[in-house]
Tab-separated table of all heavy atoms in Angstrom:
chain	number	residue	atom	x	y	z
A	132	ALA	N	9.736	-45.832	-26.604
A	132	ALA	CA	9.527	-46.465	-25.297
A	132	ALA	C	10.239	-45.665	-24.185
A	132	ALA	O	9.701	-45.487	-23.082
A	132	ALA	CB	10.031	-47.907	-25.302
A	133	ILE	N	11.451	-45.203	-24.464
A	133	ILE	CA	12.182	-44.419	-23.462
A	133	ILE	C	11.495	-43.081	-23.193
A	133	ILE	O	11.348	-42.683	-22.006
A	133	ILE	CB	13.648	-44.205	-23.942
A	133	ILE	CG1	14.413	-45.520	-23.903
A	133	ILE	CG2	14.343	-43.166	-23.053
A	133	ILE	CD1	15.805	-45.435	-24.450
A	134	LEU	N	11.022	-42.415	-24.228
A	134	LEU	CA	10.326	-41.149	-24.047
A	134	LEU	C	9.019	-41.373	-23.259
A	134	LEU	O	8.660	-40.551	-22.420
A	134	LEU	CB	10.013	-40.505	-25.395
A	134	LEU	CG	11.241	-39.972	-26.167
A	134	LEU	CD1	10.803	-39.381	-27.501
A	134	LEU	CD2	11.958	-38.922	-25.346
A	135	ALA	N	8.334	-42.477	-23.505
A	135	ALA	CA	7.090	-42.759	-22.806
A	135	ALA	C	7.373	-43.031	-21.338
A	135	ALA	O	6.634	-42.589	-20.440
A	135	ALA	CB	6.379	-43.980	-23.439
A	136	SER	N	8.468	-43.755	-21.048
A	136	SER	CA	8.808	-44.044	-19.637
A	136	SER	C	9.206	-42.784	-18.896
A	136	SER	O	8.894	-42.619	-17.716
A	136	SER	CB	9.948	-45.082	-19.597
A	136	SER	OG	11.118	-44.565	-20.193
A	137	THR	N	9.896	-41.855	-19.567
A	137	THR	CA	10.250	-40.584	-18.912
A	137	THR	C	9.007	-39.759	-18.629
A	137	THR	O	8.917	-39.110	-17.575
A	137	THR	CB	11.218	-39.791	-19.776
A	137	THR	OG1	10.622	-39.469	-21.049
A	137	THR	CG2	12.525	-40.543	-20.010
A	138	LEU	N	8.040	-39.793	-19.552
A	138	LEU	CA	6.793	-39.083	-19.302
A	138	LEU	C	6.055	-39.665	-18.094
A	138	LEU	O	5.451	-38.887	-17.304
A	138	LEU	CB	5.898	-39.171	-20.541
A	138	LEU	CG	4.586	-38.379	-20.496
A	138	LEU	CD1	4.847	-36.904	-20.296
A	138	LEU	CD2	3.769	-38.615	-21.773
A	139	LEU	N	6.113	-40.973	-17.915
A	139	LEU	CA	5.498	-41.612	-16.765
A	139	LEU	C	6.169	-41.171	-15.467
A	139	LEU	O	5.507	-40.873	-14.477
A	139	LEU	CB	5.554	-43.147	-16.920
A	139	LEU	CG	4.984	-43.961	-15.740
A	139	LEU	CD1	3.474	-43.701	-15.641
A	139	LEU	CD2	5.264	-45.454	-15.981
A	140	LEU	N	7.533	-41.119	-15.473
A	140	LEU	CA	8.270	-40.696	-14.297
A	140	LEU	C	7.934	-39.245	-13.905
A	140	LEU	O	7.800	-38.936	-12.732
A	140	LEU	CB	9.768	-40.835	-14.533
A	140	LEU	CG	10.384	-42.224	-14.418
A	140	LEU	CD1	11.875	-42.176	-14.810
A	140	LEU	CD2	10.241	-42.736	-12.995
A	141	ILE	N	7.769	-38.403	-14.911
A	141	ILE	CA	7.459	-37.001	-14.661
A	141	ILE	C	6.055	-36.851	-14.113
A	141	ILE	O	5.799	-36.026	-13.223
A	141	ILE	CB	7.616	-36.147	-15.921
A	141	ILE	CG1	9.113	-36.131	-16.374
A	141	ILE	CG2	7.117	-34.758	-15.738
A	141	ILE	CD1	9.351	-35.514	-17.714
A	142	SER	N	5.135	-37.701	-14.590
A	142	SER	CA	3.721	-37.556	-14.237
A	142	SER	C	3.408	-38.064	-12.842
A	142	SER	O	2.480	-37.560	-12.194
A	142	SER	CB	2.844	-38.319	-15.268
A	142	SER	OG	3.107	-37.860	-16.576
A	143	VAL	N	4.116	-39.102	-12.369
A	143	VAL	CA	3.803	-39.705	-11.068
A	143	VAL	C	4.455	-38.910	-9.956
A	143	VAL	O	5.652	-38.714	-9.942
A	143	VAL	CB	4.280	-41.161	-11.012
A	143	VAL	CG1	3.983	-41.773	-9.639
A	143	VAL	CG2	3.616	-41.979	-12.088
A	144	PRO	N	3.657	-38.406	-8.989
A	144	PRO	CA	4.236	-37.636	-7.865
A	144	PRO	C	5.184	-38.492	-7.036
A	144	PRO	O	5.046	-39.717	-6.949
A	144	PRO	CB	3.024	-37.222	-7.036
A	144	PRO	CG	1.866	-37.356	-7.968
A	144	PRO	CD	2.198	-38.468	-8.915
A	148	SER	N	5.033	-42.582	-6.054
A	148	SER	CA	6.099	-43.526	-6.451
A	148	SER	C	6.852	-44.049	-5.247
A	148	SER	O	7.273	-45.208	-5.217
A	148	SER	CB	7.054	-42.837	-7.439
A	148	SER	OG	7.699	-41.733	-6.820
A	190	GLY	N	13.848	-39.728	-9.447
A	190	GLY	CA	12.972	-40.165	-10.514
A	190	GLY	C	12.677	-39.079	-11.563
A	190	GLY	O	12.916	-39.266	-12.762
A	191	THR	N	12.187	-37.943	-11.103
A	191	THR	CA	11.849	-36.856	-12.027
A	191	THR	C	13.113	-36.312	-12.736
A	191	THR	O	13.086	-36.024	-13.937
A	191	THR	CB	11.132	-35.729	-11.268
A	191	THR	OG1	9.985	-36.249	-10.641
A	191	THR	CG2	10.736	-34.615	-12.224
A	194	ALA	N	14.212	-38.483	-15.587
A	194	ALA	CA	13.386	-38.278	-16.783
A	194	ALA	C	13.833	-37.032	-17.541
A	194	ALA	O	14.022	-37.082	-18.774
A	194	ALA	CB	11.915	-38.175	-16.369
A	198	ARG	N	15.795	-36.855	-21.359
A	198	ARG	CA	15.313	-36.049	-22.507
A	198	ARG	C	16.341	-34.995	-22.904
A	198	ARG	O	16.532	-34.761	-24.107
A	198	ARG	CB	13.992	-35.365	-22.118
A	198	ARG	CG	12.803	-36.343	-22.022
A	198	ARG	CD	11.539	-35.676	-21.506
A	198	ARG	NE	10.406	-36.552	-21.668
A	198	ARG	CZ	9.524	-36.418	-22.669
A	198	ARG	NH1	9.668	-35.469	-23.563
A	198	ARG	NH2	8.519	-37.270	-22.784
Side-chain angles (χ1 to χ4, degrees):
I133 291 175
L134 290 179
S136 64
T137 59
L138 184 60
L139 179 64
L140 281 175
I141 295 172
S142 303
V143 178
S148 62
T191 303
R198 288 173 169 260

